[in-house]
Amino acid sequence: TITTTTTKRSDTPLFHVASQDELRLLFDRCLRRRCTNGVVSEVLGVREVAMGLEDLKLAPQNAEEQHHMKVFLEDCNEWGFQPVTLDFDTFVRFIRRIREWRAGVGRERERQFASKEYGFKEVIVQEYRVAFDILLEDGHDGLAVSDVRRIFKLLRFNITSELLRELFAKVDAGAAGRINFLEFLKLVHLFNKTKRTRRLISHISDVEVNQESAAPAAVPAAAPAAAKSPVAARFPTSKLKAALSKGKMIKEATEVMKASVKSRRSLFLSS
């Protein structure tokens, strides 16, 4: 069987599949390892396959992965040869199946993480993943800020260059100039949060202006009491705006906004 190894895995995205030519070179190197008494074999044994997996950074890291790879290896052994051997075409199918399985596992983890941490729906994560993959260049393990700007245009997200650079710097933990897909999801989450916060600040500013400019006689006596919320009474608009600028008190500001909308509706119906 293929033994578990502690080889450190590459950060290369799962959807980057080695080309047929690259696998041919790897296959030939593994064949030379199998060479005995000067005779080069035409097929790989389990030992050489395991070495090839290590070269591709695909070696199993735990018992579950080891089990799946054993099953894939047995499935590729269509004629039931013992010990198991793989020719080049079968080796390519084996590697492709491992990568597809790994990609599926990775996608599911991404969906679960995005749903739990950011509240993204599965269809949204898939949409982001497709856009991310389209712009990911061969040889790179992430997107540059210019790539993210192109994705935002594809998704019709309106963002300034200044804000994009600011958010990119926040999620680019290693300051490598490129971000992986999970970091991209975090960037989108921060963008949505910033956009929501700025909208709240704008609305709170409108509430503040209306409160200062409204004449007491023009407001029916029952309307203010009906619209007054406990949060609005405790937190002046100036305090809410200052807190929102620091990413705080979003829940309280949202309640004030709802109370304001309710107040305007009451004034409209009573007029």
Side-chain angles (χ1 to χ4, degrees), residues 70 72 81 92 98 128 156 172 183 228 271:
K70 180 180 178 182
F72 297 156
F81 293 129
V92 171
I98 290 177
Y128 292 164
R156 297 183 179 179
D172 185 13
E183 290 171 333
K228 196 74 170 180
S271 59

Side-chain angles (χ1 to χ4, degrees), residues 5 7 30 34 38 55 57 82 86 108 115 119 127 146 210 244 261-262:
T5 178
T7 302
C30 292
R34 190 175 170 82
D55 286 351
K57 310 301 182 185
Q82 293 298 330
L86 303 181
E108 181 58 30
S115 175
E127 180 182 355
S146 58
N210 291 335
L244 284 171
V261 171
K262 183 178 179 181

Side-chain angles (χ1 to χ4, degrees), residues 144-154 161 164-165:
V145 65
S146 58
D147 301 319
V148 177
R149 184 180 292 108
R150 292 174 63 189
I151 289 184
F152 271 44
K153 287 183 179 179
L154 287 174
S161 296
L164 178 57
R165 288 194 296 269

